[in-house]
Amino acid sequence: MKITDFIDIISPLILETAVSVGETELEKITADSREAAPGTVFFCIRGVNSDGHDFIEQAFAKGASLVVGEKELKNENYIRVRSVKEVLTAVLPVFYGYPDRKMKMFGVTGTNGKTSTTFILENLLKEDMSCGVVGTLSYKYAGKTIPAQNTTPLNWKWYSLLDDMQKNGVDAVISEVSSHALAENRIEKTMFDVAVFTNLTRDHLDFHKTFENYYQAKKKLFTEHLKEGGTAVINIDDEAGKRLSAELGNVRQIRISEKDNSAELFIKIEEMTDQGSVVVFTIGGISKKVKIPLVGNFNVYNTAGAFAAASFFTGAEKAFERVENSVSVPGRLEKVGNHSVYIDYAHTPDAMENVLKTLRGMGIYEKIIIVFGAGGDRDRGKRPIMGETACRFADTVIVTDDNPRTEEPSEIIKDILAGCGGNPNVAVINDRSEAIKKAIEIKGEKDAVLIAGKGAEDYQITRSGKKFFSDKAEAEKFLRGE
């Protein structure tokens, strides 16, 4: 896009400009001065901890072709506008040529199961399409893996990412869409071919304040970001999913249920082991028994959601064939070697309950030991519920640090213990490494250990900053006897 075209798009929002390089070609929009280079437009966004206007000199020094801000500044390549965020919203989709219109778009939202569903969906589609996967673990496409700063990127990063995917031959974008992203309009005007709803349980109320606000944020994916003729895939065994389905009116839906045989995708679980599940899927009048290579009832629903989304583009027969293909989701009920030690991202009461019920339901473990904490600077209200849940479903509970961030770790643990009711089987070991070590030391031959809350994360955040820490690496170390 030439500078003249860029200015034409945002002209109603311009207060002052003296740009003299109108034919220069613009290639990228950024709000990070470190990314500034010839051909980039640097937007001065005011954040909680920093103000982009403070980095204007750095952006120009690195060769930025244009800078867009709100402060008065005399520079021939500076554009002053009334609202930087308003300009971003107006220009991003046009600047990048509406990349979401050039690829198949799959959005997955819900409290739990988003990451697993995107991984399973990629596994079902990858033989027919070049897939890009966006989510908590990373942004992955065309041989690239980019560390994820947010589950769903900020708006300017989101469109830049979609643009690069499209230029690298990606056919299908499979993205987790977080409630934060929907509430903050990070995906702007992006439209999806298929939107998947996994479930809704308590989380992020520090941000949304009420459960109703949380629900309404999730609902936006289906009411504001679904293409005309698009499909909503909804788990109606979840109460919020049932409500969402009823409120969507004429939107085409594939409802998933184990309880309601009128659902477009009816599931019947016949067997569940530590190797996976045997399930009968019924869709379009066709019933077929499949083996799902992931452990747990919740993974049956995750697989069903991915199966329903994929079947639109591969056909049900191919989806049936591929659903049995092995797929590994890092940090999601991930078994460490051949030991009965599991790593899971469960950091909400519902997710924790699901995982503990799954381990209990296998019927092969005499005792279950759980190691977990809770994140600092996040929803405090869920902490005692997590404590109560752990005590109800595990035999031994070790409460430890998660990512305390700026909070005092002992205060977080106190909140958790408030839900434990003085249970004598609860121990507190602040040091997460020592907590994992203790769990492995006391584990009997027929016991299981669940290390919950961080999953595949390879860091821990404290007041001192961010440091490397991996639950899996710690478990492997102690299992080797080190």
Side-chain angles (χ1 to χ4, degrees), residues 5 52 204 261 338 352 357 389 400 403 411:
D5 297 324
H204 306 306
N261 60 14
N338 294 318
M352 183 183 290
K357 278 184 174 178
T389 302
T400 187
N403 289 319
E411 290 300 311

Side-chain angles (χ1 to χ4, degrees), residues 234-466:
I234 303 173
N235 167 17
I236 61 169
D237 288 344
D238 178 84
E239 283 301 314
K242 187 176 181 179
R243 175 186 171 186
L244 176 65
S245 175
E247 292 177 351
L248 287 185
N250 295 325
V251 173
R252 182 167 62 181
Q253 297 183 38
I254 299 181
R255 298 168 300 145
I256 299 167
S257 180
E258 186 187 3
K259 303 170 184 176
D260 183 349
N261 60 14
S262 73
E264 287 73 21
L265 176 53
F266 183 65
I267 56 181
K268 181 181 178 183
I269 301 173
E270 293 196 342
E271 184 183 357
M272 191 174 294
T273 71
D274 64 344
Q275 301 300 312
S277 303
V278 177
V279 185
V280 176
F281 279 179
T282 301
I283 188 170
I286 302 170
S287 294
K288 188 165 182 178
K289 185 180 294 187
V290 295
K291 294 179 181 178
I292 295 174
L294 292 168
V295 178
N297 175 279
F298 53 91
N299 271 323
V300 172
Y301 281 90
N302 295 336
T303 301
F307 173 89
S311 64
F312 260 99
F313 298 95
T314 66
E317 286 303 318
K318 280 187 179 179
F320 272 128
E321 290 171 12
R322 295 171 185 174
V323 80
E324 298 189 353
N325 292 350
S326 179
V327 58
S328 175
V329 186
R332 270 60 177 179
L333 206 54
E334 181 181 1
K335 201 170 185 180
V336 182
N338 294 318
H339 304 276
S340 300
V341 176
Y342 296 86
I343 308 294
D344 196 87
Y345 188 57
H347 60 284
T348 67
D350 184 71
M352 183 183 290
E353 179 174 337
N354 285 336
V355 176
L356 288 170
K357 278 184 174 178
T358 293
L359 294 176
R360 183 73 70 194
M362 291 178 189
I364 59 176
Y365 299 123
E366 290 184 354
K367 292 182 180 179
I368 297 173
I369 303 162
I370 184 171
V371 177
F372 80 102
D377 302 332
R378 299 292 186 269
D379 181 9
R380 287 188 62 182
K382 71 178 181 180
R383 296 172 187 171
I385 308 173
M386 292 171 70
E388 187 277 331
T389 302
C391 289
R392 186 154 40 104
F393 293 102
D395 299 283
T396 301
V397 175
I398 300 177
V399 182
T400 187
D401 292 347
D402 188 288
N403 289 319
R405 298 184 176 87
T406 65
E407 279 196 68
E408 180 60 47
S410 61
E411 290 300 311
I412 297 173
I413 289 175
K414 185 191 294 184
D415 288 342
I416 294 170
L417 294 179
C420 295
N423 190 314
N425 297 313
V426 177
V428 174
I429 303 176
N430 286 82
D431 185 288
R432 194 172 179 90
S433 177
E434 289 299 315
I436 293 170
K437 180 180 181 181
K438 183 65 174 179
I440 290 172
E441 284 177 348
I442 65 175
K443 173 187 172 300
E445 189 175 328
K446 295 183 179 180
D447 298 341
V449 171
L450 171 64
I451 306 168
K454 291 176 62 59
E457 288 180 355
D458 61 358
Y459 58 83
Q460 188 174 39
I461 305 172
T462 68
R463 284 178 175 173
S464 301
K466 191 174 184 179

Side-chain angles (χ1 to χ4, degrees), residues 13-314:
L13 305 173
I14 294 176
L15 296 178
E16 187 178 1
T17 183
V19 176
S20 62
V21 283
E23 296 306 305
T24 298
E25 196 72 29
L26 300 174
E27 299 175 358
K28 184 176 181 178
I29 288 173
T30 183
D32 185 340
S33 62
R34 294 168 295 186
E35 294 183 359
T40 63
V41 185
F42 174 66
F43 275 75
C44 305
I45 295 177
R46 300 177 195 268
V48 175
N49 300 313
S50 63
D51 183 346
H53 294 86
D54 296 335
F55 301 92
I56 291 174
E57 288 186 15
Q58 290 93 318
F60 277 132
K62 291 178 75 69
S65 297
L66 282 181
V67 172
V68 179
E70 297 169 6
K71 291 184 176 180
E72 291 187 18
L73 177 70
K74 298 300 180 184
N75 188 296
E76 65 178 9
N77 294 328
Y78 179 76
I79 301 174
R80 182 171 165 243
V81 298
R82 65 187 180 212
S83 168
V84 166
K85 290 184 178 180
E86 195 176 348
V87 173
L88 262 180
T89 296
V91 80
L92 276 168
V94 186
F95 184 91
Y96 287 113
Y98 297 94
D100 52 309
R101 298 180 183 177
K102 302 171 185 176
M103 300 176 285
K104 297 297 182 186
M105 300 292 295
F106 298 83
V108 181
T109 199
T111 305
N112 304 311
K114 296 187 297 296
T115 300
S116 296
T117 301
T118 59
F119 269 66
I120 299 164
L121 183 51
E122 179 196 22
N123 203 42
L124 294 173
L125 293 175
K126 65 185 181 182
E127 291 181 35
D128 296 315
M129 305 176 180
S130 171
C131 297
V133 181
V134 180
T136 307
L137 297 181
S138 64
Y139 312 146
K140 182 178 63 169
Y141 62 100
K144 301 180 182 181
T145 300
I146 302 169
Q149 290 183 321
N150 302 96
T151 295
T152 312
L154 300 174
N155 57 357
W156 55 274
K157 292 184 178 181
W158 168 253
Y159 273 99
S160 177
L161 183 65
L162 292 185
D163 178 63
D164 198 47
M165 285 184 174
Q166 194 264 324
K167 288 175 178 175
N168 277 275
V170 169
D171 303 306
V173 177
I174 305 165
S175 180
E176 297 180 48
V177 186
S178 70
S179 59
H180 288 70
L182 289 161
E184 295 175 341
N185 296 316
R186 290 185 200 165
I187 60 173
E188 296 292 359
K189 300 173 184 176
T190 307
M191 303 299 283
F192 292 85
D193 296 273
V194 179
V196 181
F197 179 87
T198 60
N199 51 67
L200 199 70
T201 62
R202 178 174 181 138
D203 200 13
H204 306 306
L205 296 195
D206 55 310
F207 176 81
H208 295 289
K209 306 306 179 188
T210 69
F211 193 81
E212 179 64 19
N213 290 346
Y214 186 28
Y215 169 78
Q216 293 297 337
K218 295 290 190 184
K219 184 179 176 181
K220 286 176 67 175
L221 179 63
F222 302 85
T223 57
E224 298 180 20
H225 297 283
L226 198 57
K227 292 178 182 178
E228 187 174 349
T231 301
V233 175
I234 303 173
N235 167 17
I236 61 169
D237 288 344
D238 178 84
E239 283 301 314
K242 187 176 181 179
R243 175 186 171 186
L244 176 65
S245 175
E247 292 177 351
L248 287 185
N250 295 325
V251 173
R252 182 167 62 181
Q253 297 183 38
I254 299 181
R255 298 168 300 145
I256 299 167
S257 180
E258 186 187 3
K259 303 170 184 176
D260 183 349
N261 60 14
S262 73
E264 287 73 21
L265 176 53
F266 183 65
I267 56 181
K268 181 181 178 183
I269 301 173
E270 293 196 342
E271 184 183 357
M272 191 174 294
T273 71
D274 64 344
Q275 301 300 312
S277 303
V278 177
V279 185
V280 176
F281 279 179
T282 301
I283 188 170
I286 302 170
S287 294
K288 188 165 182 178
K289 185 180 294 187
V290 295
K291 294 179 181 178
I292 295 174
L294 292 168
V295 178
N297 175 279
F298 53 91
N299 271 323
V300 172
Y301 281 90
N302 295 336
T303 301
F307 173 89
S311 64
F312 260 99
F313 298 95
T314 66

